[in-house]
Amino acid sequence: MMVGSTFSCSFCSELHDGPPLGYGTHAPVYWNADFTEQQGNVLGEEQCVIAGEHFFVRARLVLPIKDADGEFDWGVWVSLSEANFHRSSALWDKPERVEEPPYFGWLSTALPGYEPTTVNLKTKLHTQPLGERPLAELEPTDHPLAVEQRAGITMARVQWLAEQLLHADS
């Protein structure tokens, strides 16, 4: 299947554009809309703080596509220690941030299509050049997402994920 074309959905039998090669979430799994009214809570495009003591950054978790030229990109949130969050923030607009060693973190996004849950998988967060989101590298375990990050996924799996997300409310 060509990337950027259309696909026949096995769920509804309709033709859809895509399948998309990435999805993301607006906030970490721990975020609650009620938090916006409480002090110590901030949800930005790239960073999140909950109760002044839980710290998150937005990242990309990239899966190579084995049978097509490209990558599938999960937009995820990773929790960091307070010290690493502040260090990351201090370097946010500085080119030398790429020289930082990876930060340890916990995946804080529940991705659909994975059992067991993806929440709290161990990660290394790799800072990228200015203007690029950090990359999340999962600990090499036998969790299906970690396996897909190492071994890649097929376009059939990308389509299956698209179908699940398109029809999540069905």
Side-chain angles (χ1 to χ4, degrees), residues 12 15 24 26-27 31-32 41 46 53 55 62 95 99 102 106 108 110 121 136 151 153-154 164 170:
C12 69
L15 279 180
H26 175 69
W31 182 260
N32 181 310
N41 298 312
E46 305 298 326
E53 57 188 54
F55 305 90
V62 177
E99 298 166 18
W106 298 96
S108 299
L121 293 176
I153 61 173
T154 63
Q164 300 307 302
S170 299

Side-chain angles (χ1 to χ4, degrees), residues 64 66 146-153:
K66 296 190 276 192
V147 171
E148 287 181 344
Q149 189 175 44
R150 288 190 313 272
I153 61 173

Side-chain angles (χ1 to χ4, degrees), residues 5-36:
S5 59
T6 59
F7 68 97
S8 178
C9 181
S10 64
F11 190 87
C12 69
S13 301
E14 301 272 330
L15 279 180
H16 297 290
D17 291 334
L21 296 180
Y23 299 93
T25 58
H26 175 69
V29 68
Y30 306 106
W31 182 260
N32 181 310
D34 295 338
F35 290 165
T36 57

Side-chain angles (χ1 to χ4, degrees), residues 77-126:
W77 291 86
V78 174
S79 70
L80 296 178
S81 69
E82 183 175 5
N84 283 342
F85 179 82
H86 289 305
R87 173 78 179 157
S88 169
S89 295
L91 294 171
W92 200 262
D93 294 324
K94 296 185 171 40
E96 59 269 22
R97 74 186 200 171
V98 297
E99 298 166 18
E100 280 292 285
Y103 301 120
F104 174 80
W106 298 96
L107 191 62
S108 299
T109 303
L111 297 175
Y114 294 95
E115 290 294 332
T117 183
T118 58
V119 175
N120 289 329
L121 293 176
K122 291 180 181 179
T123 67
K124 290 181 186 174
L125 192 70
H126 298 271

Side-chain angles (χ1 to χ4, degrees), residues 121-144:
L121 293 176
K122 291 180 181 179
T123 67
K124 290 181 186 174
L125 192 70
H126 298 271
T127 306
Q128 299 298 296
L130 289 178
E132 293 182 31
R133 284 196 174 127
L135 291 176
E137 175 190 5
L138 296 176
E139 178 181 53
T141 66
D142 62 353
H143 188 282

